[in-house]
Amino acid sequence: RFPGFLSPSSSIKFADIPNGLAAVEKVPAVGWFQYTVFCGICDLWLCHQVPSNPPGKLTTRLFGEGITNYQYGSIGLPGYLGGKPVEDPELKKKKLSAELANGRLAMMAIIGMFFQDGLTGSAWGDWALYTASPLRAFESELGVQAPVGFWDPLGFTANGDAASFRRRRYIELKHGRVAMLACLGYIVPEYYRLPGDLSPSLGLKFTDMPTGFAAFSKVPGSGWAQMVAFAGTVELFQYVDDPTRPPGDFANAGSLGVPNGFLRISDPETKKKKLSAEIANGRLAMMAIIGMFYQDGLTGSAWGDWSL
């Protein structure tokens, strides 16, 4: 901290001003007035954006035109202090790109600092101080994994409703499992096809089926009916959610979803590790299958070339 007084008339020393949002109420009104005047001078006269200059290349707008005005050099140093622009085009492009990237990161970082400061009461507050957080009801649940911990940017769990959390976890698990199977459905046919006929009555073999979206038009109507009936049977009769059990834990399914409870995991730590891995892999698979759909739709092939 600077030595001495920030405001001698108010007997406020620099050492008396806290960090972060707590400093807002400590700074006297005259201090805020000075900040406002300084920012106004910078914006109106000292850091002017000439329309003909590239964005961010600032100059002064003082009286006297070219005699008193100057531009800013590298790292924002004024011309009268020896600030010179970067002459090498490639180096200049690299530094400007770095500035944009660092600025974007800083914008996210300062919002995170404000958020943490506002919730914990300190600029570098410990999240343990945020005892009123409704998220504490779920921070020990499966799926709370490094590096982000409990991540709910849209605030779906802000009300602390355990029933709603359980429903969303059940849906997340279901979508993750389907997405993992869908990813395998995209990948495996590229290397292996079942022998024989897919539809003997139509003379359609497994090897005749393309991968990806192109398969939609090749599957006969009876095939779609069979898939819908199978999925409905599994949903309604085979794997039915039991409110007394954890989400996605079916009484008649064992490890890897093997029906009738074979291959059960008895060790609690091993089970927790595998369930956490399932959630993480399911989340990755949901992102992966969306990427595959996107590539397939744009290039016309499940493993299309982006040059197409």
Side-chain angles (χ1 to χ4, degrees):
R1 301 294 181 90
F2 287 114
F5 288 93
L6 170 65
S7 174
S9 60
S10 301
S11 299
I12 299 177
K13 297 181 178 180
F14 285 101
D16 298 332
I17 302 296
N19 286 331
L21 300 177
V24 173
E25 61 183 17
K26 296 292 185 180
V27 177
V30 66
W32 286 111
F33 177 73
Q34 291 171 0
Y35 295 151
T36 304
V37 170
F38 175 74
C39 291
I41 291 173
C42 288
D43 198 42
L44 294 174
W45 292 291
L46 297 183
C47 301
H48 175 59
Q49 174 68 62
V50 178
S52 59
N53 284 345
K57 184 176 176 59
L58 306 177
T59 183
T60 57
R61 188 168 54 174
L62 305 172
F63 298 102
E65 298 182 354
I67 299 176
T68 57
N69 285 301
Y70 54 87
Q71 294 185 353
Y72 295 89
S74 181
I75 320 182
L77 287 176
Y80 68 87
L81 292 180
K84 296 180 180 179
V86 179
E87 299 295 341
D88 181 45
E90 286 302 317
L91 180 60
K92 185 174 184 178
K93 181 179 179 181
K94 180 180 179 182
K95 288 184 176 293
L96 289 175
S97 297
E99 181 187 27
L100 286 172
N102 292 340
R104 290 165 181 167
L105 178 61
M107 286 187 281
M108 296 298 295
I110 195 63
I111 291 298
M113 292 177 183
F114 286 159
F115 187 75
Q116 183 172 3
D117 194 345
L119 291 179
T120 65
S122 172
W124 303 102
D126 185 351
W127 283 107
L129 300 176
Y130 185 32
T131 56
S133 172
L135 306 183
R136 292 199 176 280
F138 311 115
E139 63 182 6
S140 60
E141 293 283 344
L142 287 171
V144 180
Q145 299 170 356
V148 295
F150 190 90
W151 195 65
D152 181 21
L154 298 181
F156 286 126
T157 59
N159 59 2
D161 187 348
S164 296
F165 178 84
R166 186 187 184 283
R167 175 179 173 274
R168 292 191 180 100
R169 171 49 51 82
Y170 175 65
I171 293 172
E172 179 188 29
L173 281 167
K174 181 187 292 186
H175 289 174
R177 289 165 178 172
V178 171
M180 286 188 280
L181 290 172
C183 288
L184 288 176
Y186 255 88
I187 297 170
V188 172
E190 296 290 331
Y191 301 97
Y192 176 77
R193 301 292 183 94
L194 292 173
D197 292 316
L198 172 64
S199 176
S201 60
L202 298 176
L204 187 64
K205 297 182 178 180
F206 285 101
T207 53
D208 297 332
M209 294 297 296
T211 54
F213 289 157
F216 278 91
S217 61
K218 298 294 184 180
V219 178
S222 59
W224 286 110
Q226 291 171 18
M227 286 188 278
V228 171
F230 174 74
T233 302
V234 171
E235 179 82 11
L236 295 175
F237 305 108
Q238 181 66 29
Y239 296 137
V240 181
D241 181 41
D242 184 351
T244 63
R245 301 174 69 89
D249 184 12
F250 303 110
N252 57 341
S255 179
L256 300 177
V258 177
N260 302 319
F262 295 108
L263 303 176
R264 291 190 179 277
I265 301 173
S266 56
D267 181 55
E269 286 302 316
T270 302
K271 186 174 184 179
K272 180 179 179 181
K273 180 180 179 181
K274 289 185 177 293
L275 289 174
S276 297
E278 179 190 33
I279 292 174
N281 292 340
R283 291 168 178 170
L284 177 61
M286 286 187 278
M287 297 298 295
I289 195 64
I290 290 296
M292 292 177 186
F293 287 162
Y294 187 75
Q295 183 172 0
D296 194 345
L298 290 179
T299 66
S301 173
W303 303 103
D305 185 350
W306 282 107
S307 63
L308 302 176

